[in-house]
Amino acid sequence: MSTDDAYLVGLRLAGKKVVVVGGGTVAQRRLPLLIASGADVHVITKAATPVVEALDGITLTLREFRDGDLEGAWYVIAATDDPAVNAAIVAEAESRRVFCVRADIAIEGTAVTPATLDYEGLSIGVLAGGEHRRSAAIRTAIREALQQGLIAEAGEDAPGVIKGGVALVGGGPGDPELMTVRGRRLLAHADVVVADRLAPQELLAELSPDIEVIDAAKIPYGRAMAQDAINNVLIDRAREGKFVVRLKGGDPFVFARGYEEIIACAEAGIPVTVVPGVTSAIAVPALAGVPVTHRGMNHEFVVVSGHVAPGHPESLTNWDALAAMTGTIVLLMAVERIEQFAKVLLEGGRPADTPVLVVQHGTTTAQRVLRSTLSEVPERIRSDGVRPPAIIVIGPVAAFGA
């Protein structure tokens, strides 16, 4: 048999006996999918890896292969490390008219295992004439194309795409490759995109010209009506029967007012899908070489919005408690008022030499990193001309990566 002339078919193996001979790493890779298919899986092997031994859903027999072991089998995999044993398994399978995969020499079996993927209800298999690296590479490329929306499914039938609905999508910290694959796929299916200024702009440039892109920052409104105006746009476009993606930077529920939009859509009877995003509060420090937690150094980290000053009537932050803690403080939207934040933390007991990391335009090609201390960081931010968006990390971990 040549793998070039293999006939691709999907087998429904639920409840049917499948025999796998061999318990090494090859069998270990094949068994999970067989178990997931509902097959009655029998593994015969002289020795099994710890992973194979621990698998639920198989019947494991620890001995050598014998004639008659394939009795009643619908499908067989020969995966031992002995070519003679594998040949004997194939021979018995052929005599019983049972298809058999020979893992060591594919062309000598009567079936070939493709490189497979399952994606949103699709099962895809790739054969490349026995060139396993090639089939695996093509399989991976197909998965990435589906995830990025480069291979389009029927619009309203695609999972998560609801005509007359809204998807609230976190765009991640800035680098388009850090957006979730689900978010990217839904973005590719949008009829309308309402985007924040911190959403990945490169992805907007890739959208089809027939997709309406609305810059949320340019929606006409009075200062107090900003969120109401955005809510109204989402609702109006959805009521027109369109699939609307509300694209935000970071995660839509981390200081992004995402839940306000959920409430507004729910009250209007508009269905909403939420796609979490990678929050800049953690990702930006990480990519600058700073973990927000580290064993033996801190047991907590706090993410704080700096959109109002300490002591402001609308402030909900206990700055005295923050000053007293020894862990990590991540300040968002804090550049404008950094003098006030540093002052209240110093007055509350934070040491003046506490390390501080400032990252402007994190994860993008325009990223800038500034390192300082709590007492000196306000002056450094002003002298270096740091402007929003920027993440400020305060605590011992900020000294890493220096």
Side-chain angles (χ1 to χ4, degrees):
M1 169 190 170
S2 167
T3 54
D4 290 326
D5 57 10
Y7 180 80
L8 278 171
V9 65
L11 299 179
R12 291 193 174 95
L13 295 173
K16 295 178 172 60
K17 183 178 179 180
V18 172
V19 177
V20 178
V21 186
T25 55
V26 173
Q28 182 177 308
R29 291 197 302 270
R30 305 285 175 86
L31 287 169
L33 286 178
L34 290 172
I35 295 167
S37 75
D40 176 19
V41 182
H42 293 251
V43 179
I44 301 169
T45 181
K46 291 188 294 183
T49 68
V51 172
V52 171
E53 287 184 342
L55 285 174
D56 291 326
I58 66 171
T59 300
L60 179 62
T61 303
L62 295 174
R63 61 166 172 77
E64 294 184 348
F65 172 74
R66 302 172 184 167
D67 288 342
D69 280 340
L70 306 187
E71 176 69 34
W74 289 68
Y75 188 63
V76 177
I77 297 178
T80 78
D81 57 5
D82 186 332
V85 173
N86 287 340
I89 297 166
V90 172
E92 181 177 341
E94 283 203 71
S95 71
R96 294 179 178 273
R97 298 185 179 181
V98 177
F99 285 106
C100 179
V101 173
R102 180 168 174 176
D104 58 342
I105 308 175
I107 61 173
E108 294 189 8
T110 54
V112 183
T113 302
T116 63
L117 71 94
D118 288 319
Y119 179 83
E120 301 286 3
L122 298 174
S123 294
I124 298 171
V126 179
L127 293 178
E131 297 180 43
H132 300 304
R133 288 182 180 273
R134 184 184 181 202
S135 60
I138 296 298
R139 180 267 316 276
T140 300
I142 292 171
R143 178 192 288 119
E144 291 176 353
L146 284 165
Q147 291 170 341
Q148 296 172 20
L150 300 178
I151 300 176
E153 304 170 59
E156 55 190 297
D157 295 327
V161 177
I162 303 173
K163 294 295 186 179
V166 172
L168 184 61
V169 176
D175 183 341
E177 291 193 349
L178 295 178
M179 184 175 175
T180 65
V181 293
R182 188 180 189 201
R184 195 155 183 171
R185 175 174 59 78
L186 292 182
L187 182 64
H189 286 287
D191 299 310
V192 180
V193 178
V194 181
D196 282 349
R197 66 184 181 87
L198 296 180
Q201 299 301 306
E202 294 94 329
L203 297 182
L204 298 178
E206 296 175 1
L207 296 176
S208 170
D210 62 331
I211 296 175
E212 181 184 13
V213 178
I214 300 173
D215 184 346
K218 295 181 179 179
I219 295 175
Y221 45 68
R223 183 173 182 181
M225 293 295 292
Q227 190 60 57
D228 287 344
I230 293 171
N231 295 346
N232 289 338
V233 168
L234 299 177
I235 293 166
D236 289 346
R237 294 300 193 277
R239 282 178 170 165
E240 292 173 3
K242 296 178 178 178
F243 175 53
V244 184
V245 169
R246 174 69 170 109
L247 184 62
K248 293 175 171 287
D251 182 278
F253 287 173
V254 180
F255 301 127
R257 305 188 71 172
Y259 203 69
E260 296 177 49
E261 294 167 2
I262 293 280
I263 293 171
C265 288
E267 291 177 347
I270 304 298
V272 181
T273 298
V274 177
V275 181
V278 177
T279 176
S280 59
I282 298 173
V284 167
L287 292 176
V290 170
V292 294
T293 66
H294 185 65
R295 185 179 181 186
M297 185 168 288
N298 66 309
H299 288 172
E300 75 285 324
F301 72 94
V302 179
V303 182
V304 183
S305 170
H307 76 287
V308 294
H312 189 282
E314 295 180 4
S315 176
L316 302 174
T317 302
N318 186 336
W319 288 97
D320 290 336
L322 289 181
M325 64 180 278
T326 58
T328 306
I329 301 172
V330 181
L331 295 178
L332 307 181
M333 300 174 284
V335 168
E336 183 180 345
R337 301 176 182 84
I338 186 58
E339 289 85 0
Q340 297 174 69
F341 299 135
K343 181 175 183 290
V344 74
L345 291 172
L346 289 167
E347 290 176 347
R350 274 271 172 157
D353 62 353
T354 299
V356 177
L357 171 80
V358 182
V359 185
Q360 178 181 355
H361 294 300
T363 80
T364 73
T365 55
Q367 176 173 301
R368 293 176 58 198
V369 176
L370 181 155
R371 296 180 181 275
S372 187
T373 62
L374 186 57
S375 62
E376 297 177 356
V377 72
E379 181 181 347
R380 286 291 310 280
I381 283 177
R382 301 307 173 214
S383 64
D384 283 38
V386 174
R387 300 295 304 158
I391 307 293
I392 301 173
V393 183
I394 300 169
V397 296
F400 284 118

